[in-house]
Every structure is written in structure tokens, then in C-alpha cells.
Amino acid sequence: MATTDDLKEALDVLKGTGVRITPQRHAILEYLINSMSHPTADEIYKALEGKFPNMSVATVYNNLRVFREAGIVKELTYGDSSSRFDYVTTQHYHVICNDCGKIVDFHYPALNEVEALAAHITNFEVSHHRLEIYGTCPECAKDKKTVES
């Protein structure tokens, strides 16, 4: 779970790049840092519209773009579904449900060696890697068993 230090650090990064911290920007960032669900822009908008009735979905998208450009948020694109957004913390990977699209983080430090090995074997200048695991989340698996019974 994210901490208030994560929020302060992210706000400091934004201020350092000359980004003005508006109440909406602060709320969007705080929601994203505290969310473990890798929300879409629409989900963020729906979660905050009660607090900011004059905020539009475009405002959310524009702020997410600012956060992405500042390097504090990653945009996750999987297939045709809407982009999801992830606060950049430590290097981690994602397990994605084939049925509902739920994304869960997992850490596996041994994979950090993969980039060095790939660079060594291929002579590439490796910039990054992306690993995705697909399956069925426990909730969808339970629903499938209920339907089959």
C-alpha cells in the first residue's frame, strides 16, 4: 500500500518539473497512489466526481498524461480494452484476468537479471522489459464453477 511519503515524493517530482498542483491534480494522484486496482481514467473520474463536480473526464486524461510524462505513472495497455494506470513504485509485473480484466501486481526480483542476460547474448542496448501473466482471477473462477454447477 502506498504511503503519504509516496504522495509527497510524487508531488515533489511534479513541482520539480514546473507542474502546478491543483486540487484536482492532487486528488487524482492521491487516488492513483492509493488504488491497487490499476484504474482506468473513467474509474478515477467516477470515484472523484462527487468531490469535484466540475471536473471532466478530459481533465482526468490530461492529468494522467502529465503524470506519465513526469515519469510517476505508467500507462498499461492490454489488447483493445481501456488503458489502465499504475503509480510507478518498484519494478513489478502484472497478472491479468482473461475474464474481467483485473490486474494484480507481483514482484519477482530474479527477472531483473533477464535484461543483462539479453543484452549480453544479443549485444542489444536493452532499455526495459515487460512481462504479463494471464489467467483467471479467483472471483471469476468461482463464478465459472457456480455457473457450471
Side-chain angles (χ1 to χ4, degrees), residues 21-87:
I21 307 302
T22 63
Q24 291 95 333
R25 193 165 277 160
H26 186 281
I28 293 166
L29 186 59
E30 186 173 30
Y31 181 83
L32 200 53
I33 287 173
N34 290 319
S35 173
M36 300 306 288
S37 66
H38 308 84
T40 64
D42 285 337
E43 288 168 349
I44 296 169
Y45 168 74
K46 286 176 181 141
L48 298 176
E49 69 179 333
K51 190 174 179 184
F52 297 98
N54 296 328
M55 183 171 68
S56 67
V57 178
T59 301
V60 175
Y61 275 105
N62 290 336
N63 279 290
L64 290 169
R65 180 183 45 77
V66 168
F67 300 160
R68 192 185 69 231
E69 289 170 359
I72 58 174
V73 166
K74 279 186 186 170
E75 184 172 359
L76 309 173
T77 52
Y78 300 106
D80 296 336
S81 61
S82 299
S83 291
R84 294 183 167 273
F85 295 88
D86 192 12
Y87 174 66

Side-chain angles (χ1 to χ4, degrees), residues 60-124:
V60 175
Y61 275 105
N62 290 336
N63 279 290
L64 290 169
R65 180 183 45 77
V66 168
F67 300 160
R68 192 185 69 231
E69 289 170 359
I72 58 174
V73 166
K74 279 186 186 170
E75 184 172 359
L76 309 173
T77 52
Y78 300 106
D80 296 336
S81 61
S82 299
S83 291
R84 294 183 167 273
F85 295 88
D86 192 12
Y87 174 66
V88 175
T89 53
T90 57
Q91 176 67 38
H92 63 272
Y93 305 98
H94 297 112
V95 181
I96 303 138
C97 180
N98 291 318
D99 298 317
C100 69
K102 178 180 183 177
I103 302 172
V104 177
D105 294 344
F106 79 99
H107 300 268
Y108 190 72
L111 285 177
N112 295 340
E113 298 169 14
V114 169
E115 287 185 13
L117 183 61
H120 177 74
I121 291 171
T122 64
N123 290 321
F124 271 51

